[in-house]
Amino acid sequence: MLASTYEKRQPEIIGNEYLVLGTLEPSSWCKRDKGPLVIENVLDHVHDFKERLEVHYTPAHWGPVDKGRTLQRKK
């Protein structure tokens, strides 16, 4: 999302590490179309995450099964 948003505006920020603090209320997110979001106002509308999870994504593809994994067929 950052890459597609900033590739033309500020390409120098793409590829940096970021810490995501929480989620923003949808009504506050929609206001960004009317003007820039100011951090002092946004913090009142951010909701912290309850836990930290790591998500690993492997796109679907044809190939060998990863070691340690087995395929289970539905009966």
Side-chain angles (χ1 to χ4, degrees), residues 11-75:
E12 66 275 6
I13 71 167
I14 298 172
N16 297 323
E17 289 190 25
Y18 294 93
L19 174 63
V20 179
L21 299 175
T23 59
L24 186 62
E25 293 174 0
S27 60
S28 297
W29 178 252
C30 292
K31 290 178 185 175
R32 79 190 192 294
D33 294 334
K34 297 176 184 161
L37 297 175
V38 181
I39 192 69
E40 291 81 9
N41 298 335
V42 170
L43 291 177
D44 293 334
H45 304 280
V46 171
H47 301 281
D48 298 344
F49 293 120
K50 294 181 181 178
E51 62 183 307
R52 180 177 183 238
L53 302 173
E54 280 194 35
V55 178
H56 300 279
Y57 172 71
T58 303
H61 64 280
W62 288 99
V65 177
D66 293 337
K67 292 181 180 177
R69 288 184 56 195
T70 59
L71 292 177
Q72 295 181 356
R73 296 181 188 264
K74 292 184 178 181
K75 295 180 180 182

